Amino acid sequence: MSKTPRTPLRRVVNVVVGVCAVAIVASATALSISRSSAAEDVSANLTLIAPAGPGGGWDGFAREQQQALRATGLVGNVQVVNIPGAAGTIGLGTFTTMTGRSDTLLVTGSGMTGGIALNDSPVGFDDVQPVAKFAEDYDVIIVPADSPYTTLEELVDAWAADPKSIPWSGGSAGTIDHLLIAELAQAAGIQPAELTYIPKSGGGEAIQALLNGTVDAVATGYNDVSDQIEAGRVRALAVSGAEELEGVDIPTIMSQGYDVEVANWRGLLAAPGVSDEAFQQQLEIFSELRESDEWQEVLTRLSWEDSWLTGPELDAFLVEDMARTEALLEELGL
């Protein structure tokens, strides 16, 4: 896929941000229990890097893991550091410089796949060590409560009649929100390149655009907007999973005649150069966390689904996810 080459200014900005991010991680590390080397017992101290700002999906995942690791006692000291920028690729780029750091893990997921492809990132999943795909959550398609569209079919029919007349919003360009809308367009016979998409930094900004009339529809994470749905400020038309969320009365996209199922996966990456012994300990800690009552409560509370993958199966999944994402971005002309 043809991509726009990086400009010198962009390189400078990324370097500056990366240097600042390294300083942030170093400062946070200094606040933890004193360590003689980065190769210490992983269960003593652990830093989780969320490659996005506070309040987003990656940050929420990291902090839920932090709380669960503390509650289970699997790790003595756990902290979360935020390194936002470029759909996770600033955090990824920083992380690739932390060779051998077994005390630090990077949160990853669908958005980073899009960021790597869209930003022509010089680093990717091959430059780190994937630990596990941990959980999946799902997007919901919403319209204002007073929207004339009461079903997904009504919205899509109007969209198909005049694709430019229905502006959409969601997260940054290339994120799972954007790709979901592109897949829905394909399923409805609309050229994805014809859709009008106004990217926002997160679900909160996208909802504001919806409520002030800037856009007609939004795709965003269910947990980002569940309170707005319950309060009646927005109307949910569909959820992107294969099945309805437990206890949530929102039909799936597939049940309404469109062959679209999109999951927003969350996972963890280990730094390059981590020893086999340390990597195995990381894997064992998070395997135990996955089985714990504390983590099962998180899955239930947030309507997340367990999607555990490790080893060769995870590697194959990442290759497939990257290929699918690149193909959709090409359809979008990005």
Side-chain angles (χ1 to χ4, degrees):
M1 178 173 63
S2 175
K3 300 188 192 235
T4 303
R6 290 171 171 261
T7 64
L9 175 60
R10 186 173 179 184
R11 290 194 190 97
V12 171
V13 170
N14 283 354
V15 168
V16 170
V17 173
V19 169
C20 293
V22 170
I24 292 169
V25 175
S27 299
T29 300
L31 295 175
S32 66
I33 298 173
S34 177
R35 53 181 62 107
S36 59
S37 73
E40 66 172 346
D41 181 2
V42 176
S43 65
N45 297 280
L46 192 63
T47 295
L48 300 176
I49 298 176
W58 281 331
D59 179 69
F61 177 75
R63 295 184 189 279
E64 290 290 350
Q65 293 223 315
Q66 177 190 43
Q67 294 303 315
L69 285 166
R70 286 174 174 172
T72 57
L74 288 169
V75 177
N77 181 58
V78 190
Q79 57 191 337
V80 174
V81 173
N82 296 89
I83 305 179
T89 56
I90 297 296
L92 177 63
T94 301
F95 194 57
T96 61
T97 70
M98 302 175 70
T99 303
R101 288 291 298 270
S102 61
D103 60 345
T104 305
L105 291 165
L106 178 69
V107 171
T108 187
S110 303
M112 187 173 287
T113 307
I116 291 169
L118 186 62
N119 294 302
D120 196 18
S121 174
V123 294
F125 294 123
D126 289 342
D127 297 291
V128 290
Q129 300 186 67
V131 177
K133 175 172 173 277
F134 222 91
E136 292 178 338
D137 58 79
Y138 298 99
D139 261 18
V140 64
I141 293 174
I142 57 173
V143 295
D146 60 356
S147 170
Y149 309 117
T150 61
T151 66
L152 182 63
E153 183 179 14
E154 291 175 355
L155 173 63
V156 171
D157 284 349
W159 189 25
D162 186 359
K164 296 294 184 182
S165 70
I166 306 290
W168 290 77
S169 188
S172 302
T175 60
I176 195 69
D177 304 336
H178 196 181
L179 298 180
L180 168 61
I181 298 165
E183 287 205 20
L184 180 59
Q186 288 180 324
I190 301 168
Q191 291 297 319
E194 292 184 342
L195 72 87
T196 299
Y197 185 76
I198 302 174
K200 299 294 181 180
S201 64
E205 286 190 14
I207 293 166
Q208 286 302 312
L210 184 72
L211 295 179
N212 67 26
T214 303
V215 299
D216 290 333
V218 161
T220 189
Y222 171 73
N223 287 308
D224 293 341
V225 74
S226 59
D227 57 340
Q228 301 283 344
I229 296 172
E230 292 171 7
R233 296 189 184 94
V234 299
R235 178 186 300 144
L237 301 184
V239 67
S240 68
E243 299 178 355
E244 290 186 16
L245 300 176
E246 187 172 348
V248 178
D249 187 22
I250 304 173
T252 66
I253 297 173
M254 293 187 70
S255 70
Q256 298 180 73
Y258 306 97
D259 188 17
V260 176
E261 177 193 348
V262 174
N264 190 10
W265 63 271
R266 315 280 184 184
L268 294 168
L269 304 172
V274 169
S275 69
D276 291 344
E277 181 181 359
F279 182 86
Q280 189 59 36
Q281 188 182 13
Q282 292 173 340
L283 186 57
E284 288 173 359
I285 286 172
F286 285 95
S287 179
E288 288 187 45
L289 178 67
R290 177 212 177 197
E291 299 291 344
S292 70
D293 292 340
E294 288 81 357
W295 186 252
Q296 293 304 311
E297 185 277 329
V298 171
L299 295 179
T300 299
R301 171 165 48 85
L302 297 178
S303 298
W304 290 353
E305 288 192 10
D306 177 83
S307 63
W308 184 259
L309 276 182
T310 61
E313 290 183 341
L314 176 57
D315 294 338
F317 167 81
L318 291 175
V319 170
E320 180 182 345
D321 192 50
M322 182 62 71
R324 171 178 163 274
T325 299
E326 288 178 337
L328 277 172
L329 288 175
E330 188 169 6
E331 290 282 345
L332 289 166
L334 297 175

